Amino acid sequence: LKSWQVQLQSTTFVEVSCKHLPQLKAMQFTPQQLTGGPKFHHKTRIGNWSEDLELEEIKLKDYLKKKETGNLMVTAKQQQLESSLQPDEISSSTDGLLHFGMRIMMVNHQSKGVLSANPFDVVQKTSDAYMLTTSPVGSPCVRNVFSLVRADENDGFEDDVLHYGQNFRVELSPFSKIGTPSYMHSELVTGLAAAKFSRHQEVTALTAANGETLWQVLYPDSSQRFEMDGEPVPAGSPLVVRHVQTGSFLASDEIPYHNLFGVEFEVHCFHYYSLGKSQNLTGEKKGEITGDYALRKHGLPNIWSVLTADTGA
């Protein structure tokens, strides 16, 4: 009798306390599945067995349909990689110089990576733009082979050789989701346009050629830059690439950038000058230099090499 009284009191307490609890959503499993499921044989059909079986059949049909149409995540990623890593060829230079129209690769001396485009990383610009990074994959393929395009036919140079200080564009041929030729592009840092991690000038591949896609090759040694201006650019030699409109320099540092192709490195525009004193005022006082000379040295993130088939691409 006492045990029945205790059980009755506990039941009443549970009922009273449950009145103060918030209303819960309907359970997705039956009480039979929650309490007695493990005690039944595996062949015994308990709970909503018919609905569970139907749900499994729907999942299987959905999987087979996605597999046939190529919409599975694994299949889609494989197709994206195949379309972006198709082998390509780069040009050879018979005279050891860079010529307009040549297909080249650009490698950075700091990140040891090759300039590459990601057609699946879209950036919001006035035209379609795609992110550029430096990739450790050094074999020529459609995402890392670019062309040298002359910006102005009447720029004062008669031959088709690229010279130091001459305006040019870096063109990317269409592949994968990039349907039109794109050009290496940069612009001033704003609240809406900046590199993802370093917050320096953002560098992308823009599908429209404008004033923000103009670049110049300069001699890497700033003490001899004035004398080398206008000279032909040798293939494979160290150089710096200056953005004409902003005056900043193309750079890539060991800043990890995770994307579809793995871990790559960010590309941006920033002047990595040395922090040592260059004694400009002393040289100007002696008459050795003028204020036009830039004597501070560039760091490795600003140093690039343009590779051809003859320079070990």
Side-chain angles (χ1 to χ4, degrees):
L1 182 60
K2 292 182 179 180
S3 62
W4 281 101
Q5 291 177 350
V6 172
Q7 185 176 2
L8 182 60
Q9 292 176 357
S10 62
T11 305
T12 306
F13 174 74
V14 171
E15 292 178 353
V16 174
S17 61
C18 289
K19 293 180 181 179
H20 302 283
L21 295 177
Q23 295 295 330
L24 301 177
K25 296 182 180 180
M27 292 187 300
Q28 298 179 355
F29 303 95
T30 63
Q32 187 183 17
Q33 288 176 308
L34 293 174
T35 59
K39 298 180 182 179
F40 289 90
H41 195 267
H42 70 279
K43 293 183 179 180
T44 305
R45 294 178 174 179
I46 63 174
N48 301 326
W49 61 269
S50 179
E51 290 82 354
D52 295 341
L53 183 61
E54 186 70 21
L55 181 61
E56 292 296 330
E57 292 180 357
I58 293 175
K59 289 181 178 180
L60 179 60
K61 291 179 181 179
D62 185 55
Y63 167 77
L64 294 177
K65 183 179 180 180
K66 287 184 177 180
K67 185 177 180 180
E68 292 177 359
T69 57
N71 293 328
L72 288 175
M73 290 188 65
V74 176
T75 308
K77 183 176 180 180
Q78 182 179 359
Q79 293 176 350
Q80 291 175 353
L81 291 174
E82 289 178 354
S83 64
S84 301
L85 298 178
Q86 296 178 5
D88 203 351
E89 296 182 356
I90 56 178
S91 306
S92 59
S93 178
T94 55
D95 55 359
L97 301 176
L98 294 178
H99 295 259
F100 290 110
M102 293 181 61
R103 298 178 60 79
I104 51 88
M105 297 171 60
M106 297 179 62
V107 60
N108 183 263
H109 288 211
Q110 174 72 13
S111 64
K112 305 294 191 299
V114 180
L115 185 68
S116 306
N118 185 358
F120 308 102
D121 192 355
V122 183
V123 186
Q124 296 296 331
K125 301 287 183 184
T126 55
S127 302
D128 293 337
Y130 306 91
M131 189 58 65
L132 294 179
T133 55
T134 49
S135 171
V137 179
S139 56
C141 59
V142 291
R143 67 182 296 251
N144 61 21
V145 174
F146 298 84
S147 300
L148 299 176
V149 179
R150 194 166 190 166
D152 185 9
E153 295 294 337
N154 301 320
D155 52 10
F157 298 96
E158 298 180 356
D159 52 9
D160 64 340
V161 178
L162 177 63
H163 300 79
Y164 290 110
Q166 185 178 6
N167 291 354
F168 73 101
R169 289 187 172 95
V170 180
E171 183 184 80
L172 177 67
S173 299
F175 74 97
S176 188
K177 287 191 174 183
I178 304 179
T180 57
S182 305
Y183 303 90
M184 189 167 65
H185 166 273
S186 185
E187 59 183 331
L188 289 172
V189 176
T190 63
L192 300 176
K196 187 174 183 179
F197 300 105
S198 64
R199 309 309 295 176
H200 296 316
Q201 279 186 211
E202 190 177 46
V203 178
T204 58
L206 190 70
T207 55
N210 53 26
E212 295 176 340
T213 60
L214 294 176
W215 302 83
Q216 289 180 349
V217 170
L218 300 181
Y219 196 71
D221 188 356
S222 56
S223 62
Q224 302 180 18
R225 182 171 298 170
F226 187 78
E227 290 81 0
M228 294 298 296
D229 189 47
E231 295 294 325
V233 181
S237 62
L239 50 86
V240 294
V241 183
R242 188 175 73 93
H243 189 231
V244 174
Q245 191 172 67
T246 62
S248 190
F249 293 89
L250 185 67
S252 178
D253 206 349
E254 295 177 348
I255 304 174
Y257 195 110
H258 298 263
N259 55 23
L260 174 69
F261 306 95
V263 181
E264 299 185 340
F265 301 106
E266 182 186 87
V267 175
H268 52 265
C269 278
F270 186 72
H271 44 272
Y272 287 89
Y273 286 133
S274 62
L275 301 179
K277 295 182 179 180
S278 56
Q279 305 295 333
N280 289 46
L281 295 178
T282 304
E284 292 182 24
K285 181 180 178 181
K286 295 180 179 178
E288 298 174 353
I289 59 174
T290 64
D292 298 331
Y293 282 77
L295 298 181
R296 296 174 65 186
K297 297 181 179 180
H298 286 277
L300 285 180
N302 284 139
I303 307 299
W304 297 79
S305 289
V306 179
L307 304 182
T308 61
D310 307 301
T311 55

